[in-house]
Every structure is written in structure tokens, then in C-alpha cells.
Amino acid sequence: MIEVPEESHKLVRDFAGYLRLERGYSENTIEAYMTDIAKWIKFCSNQNLDPIPPRHEYMSRFLKAMASEGKSKASLQRYAAAIRSWNRYLTIEGWVDGEQWLPSLPSKEQKLPRILSEGEIERLISSCRDGSVLGGRDETLFELAYGCGLRASEVCSLALEDIDWRAGTLRVIGKGDKERVVPLLGSVKEKLRHYVDAIRPLLNRREERWLFLTRTGRKLHREDLWRIIRRRGKAAGIPSVRLHPHVLRHSLATHMLRRGLDLRTLQELLGHASISTTERYTHLDLELRDIYDKCHPRA
């Protein structure tokens, strides 16, 4: 077994800076890529292979090993993307003489997003109305995530200064630290105002700037949000298989398309870089309509 040289560890640390400053990747993506490269280096070490440069045959063996461990196609694609970025960085830094030819990215499963019906959304929100402080927090959290079409990470990274009460808008930092402004309207705005004035102060024991806080007053993280959705979903009688951190965002997108919202406006609301990403919801809506037409007794 070879020992990974100390300069490799330094290169990995510097690679994070490259992703952050030159590629403009989000912290979540950087963390995932760093984990993937560490896994790659460990694999090469265990196989007595040199991880630098990431040669074609080594990378193929690595991906096959990950597939044999039951990794999904999405995970395999991310491993490959991370190693390709790593190889590009090594070439820029002069560690590789000419960029190595690497296999193309594995095909990724095209999964349609799972959604809840409007009735299920209401049941999920209603399950929070238990008169408790955390119930009030969770109800507001769900109302905001659904009403503004936010990603899980976007909800958790919201701060008080991101709210513009006068303009009725919310500043959101999305993927790649891209900023967008979404409307804050109607009952969502009223619910958020009540939460900020009456509920959040009961949780804010550490003078935090973050909008949503845990029971102990620290910043709410994606993992916390996932646990909250599962717990409240169970209380609402919604099967756990239909719940995931982005279920409220996906549901809003589909519901708004059904009500006539155009794709370009939805793309801006959701913060999609490509219209093709937004079009997934059109495909989902068409699939649901086909099922409705085939199964409904009066269709």
C-alpha cells in the first residue's frame, strides 16, 4: 500500500480554494467534491495506485468499485465530475503534463421530482398547528419553503436581513452563491411577520442572525429540516417515501404550472440556470394528466 504524500494533502486543500474562487462553486458542492477526492485518494492508496495523475484505467476501476458498493448513478456521475475537475486543476498547477483523457461522465438517471397534492400540502402545514413554539416555527418554515419555492439549503441560510418588509421581497442565495429576489406575498408574508415578532424571539437564545433556529437556538441545518419534514409528514399521514427536503419546492412548481404560470417566470422564481431544468415540471404535469385521463371515471 502506498502512502499518500504530504503534498497531495496540500493540493487537496488548495483544490478547495480553486473551486471556490475560480469556479464559483457553492460550499455544499465544494464539500461534496472534497469528500469525493478524499475517497478517490484512499481507493488509490488501498489499490497501490498513484492518485496523481488520475489515469483513465484507474478512474474506471474506481467507478466500478463504487458501483459494486451500490452507489447510485447520480453518485457515480458526481465522483467522475469531481475527478475531472481535480485533473483540470492539477493540469493548471503543472502537476500533470497535458490534461489526461478521462472517461465521459456516466449517464444519470432522469428522475421526475416527487410532489404532494395541494391537499397534502395543507395537511402537512396543519400538522404543525399544535400551539407550541416549534409548531409555529415549522408551520412558518413550510409556508415559506412552499410559498417561495425554496431549496432546503436556501431556507436554512436565510437571515433576518434578507427580508425586505417594505418591498415585500426575500433575498435568497442559491446554488453557486447566486442571488435572486423572490416575492413575499399574502398569507406567507403575514405568517413570517408573526413568526419574526412573536415566535423567533423565544428560540433566539444566542443572538443569532439566522431566520430559522433550532430548539437550542442554533442555526437550522438541512438535516434538521429533513427530520422536521419526516416527523410532520408522519403526523399528517403522508408516506415517508413521498417526502424529501425539496418536496415543497417541487410541489409548488407543479401546482403553479397547472394554474397557468409560464416557464420563464417559474425559472426565475426557482433560480434555475437552465430552462431545461424547469421543463422537468412540465413533463411531470403531463405524466400526471395522462394518468388522470386513464384512471378517472369521468375523464
Side-chain angles (χ1 to χ4, degrees):
M1 184 183 299
I2 61 174
E3 181 138 358
V4 179
E6 178 59 31
E7 55 264 29
S8 295
H9 296 295
K10 182 180 184 304
L11 274 174
V12 172
R13 290 193 297 270
D14 293 342
F15 178 53
Y18 162 78
L19 295 175
R20 182 179 297 108
L21 300 175
E22 297 192 35
R23 303 295 294 177
Y25 288 171
S26 70
E27 291 302 319
N28 286 341
T29 300
I30 292 170
E31 183 179 349
Y33 272 32
M34 296 296 284
T35 300
D36 295 343
I37 295 303
K39 189 183 293 288
W40 157 256
I41 291 177
K42 182 179 179 181
F43 170 83
C44 289
S45 178
N46 290 338
Q47 296 290 317
N48 200 35
L49 305 174
D50 190 348
I52 300 175
R55 299 186 184 280
H56 172 277
E57 59 270 26
Y58 299 170
M59 184 173 167
S60 296
R61 287 165 63 176
F62 171 70
L63 293 176
K64 287 179 181 178
M66 295 300 101
S68 68
E69 293 180 8
K71 302 298 183 182
S72 68
K73 287 187 177 180
S75 294
L76 296 179
Q77 188 179 62
R78 197 191 72 195
Y79 291 145
I83 296 172
R84 289 166 71 88
S85 292
W86 168 245
N87 183 61
R88 189 176 302 115
Y89 167 73
L90 292 174
T91 303
I92 293 172
E93 292 298 310
W95 284 83
V96 176
D97 184 16
E99 194 164 342
Q100 300 290 313
W101 182 81
L102 298 177
S104 58
L105 295 180
S107 60
K108 187 176 181 180
E109 293 173 316
Q110 295 298 316
K111 293 184 178 179
L112 292 173
R114 289 168 292 176
I115 67 163
L116 301 179
S117 68
E118 294 185 48
E120 287 172 322
I121 292 290
E122 180 55 40
R123 276 165 40 204
L124 183 66
I125 293 174
S126 297
S127 71
C128 305
R129 297 172 185 151
D130 55 13
S132 68
V133 172
L134 293 181
R137 178 204 63 185
D138 295 351
E139 182 181 356
T140 307
L141 192 157
F142 291 162
E143 287 271 16
L144 193 67
Y146 176 71
C148 296
L150 303 182
R151 299 180 178 93
S153 58
E154 293 171 349
V155 174
C156 296
S157 63
L158 288 172
L160 288 175
E161 60 265 28
D162 294 326
I163 307 170
D164 188 332
W165 297 111
R166 185 185 297 273
T169 58
L170 191 67
R171 185 176 70 102
V172 179
I173 306 300
K175 286 186 176 181
D177 292 329
K178 292 181 180 177
E179 180 180 318
R180 71 182 188 279
V181 175
V182 299
L184 193 58
L185 305 171
S187 61
V188 177
K189 183 178 179 181
E190 293 173 8
K191 186 72 64 177
L192 184 60
R193 178 90 264 184
H194 175 70
Y195 166 76
V196 170
D197 291 343
I199 299 175
R200 186 180 176 280
L202 302 176
L203 295 170
N204 191 23
R205 303 171 185 175
R206 306 184 183 197
E207 297 300 317
E208 291 278 7
R209 56 187 283 265
W210 308 109
L211 182 58
F212 291 108
L213 305 171
T214 66
R215 184 194 304 270
T216 58
R218 64 177 177 81
K219 177 185 178 182
L220 197 76
H221 291 285
R222 179 190 172 97
E223 295 77 15
D224 302 313
L225 177 57
W226 177 219
R227 284 192 290 268
I228 292 168
I229 290 177
R230 285 190 298 180
R231 184 172 70 251
R232 298 296 183 181
K234 182 177 181 181
I238 301 172
S240 60
V241 70
R242 302 188 58 221
L243 297 170
H244 55 92
H246 288 168
V247 68
L248 298 173
R249 172 180 166 88
H250 292 334
S251 298
L252 174 76
T254 305
H255 297 164
M256 293 189 78
L257 278 177
R258 288 181 193 166
R259 291 171 181 265
L261 186 70
D262 65 277
L263 275 176
R264 286 294 179 187
T265 303
L266 182 61
Q267 179 188 6
E268 289 185 22
L269 175 66
L270 299 179
H272 288 156
S274 170
I275 192 69
S276 62
T277 305
T278 316
E279 287 174 341
R280 290 186 308 161
Y281 298 105
T282 306
H283 300 155
L284 175 63
D285 196 36
L286 289 173
E287 182 182 86
L288 289 175
R289 289 176 189 271
D290 288 343
I291 294 173
Y292 181 91
D293 289 341
K294 290 178 182 177
C295 302
H296 196 286
R298 295 187 179 275

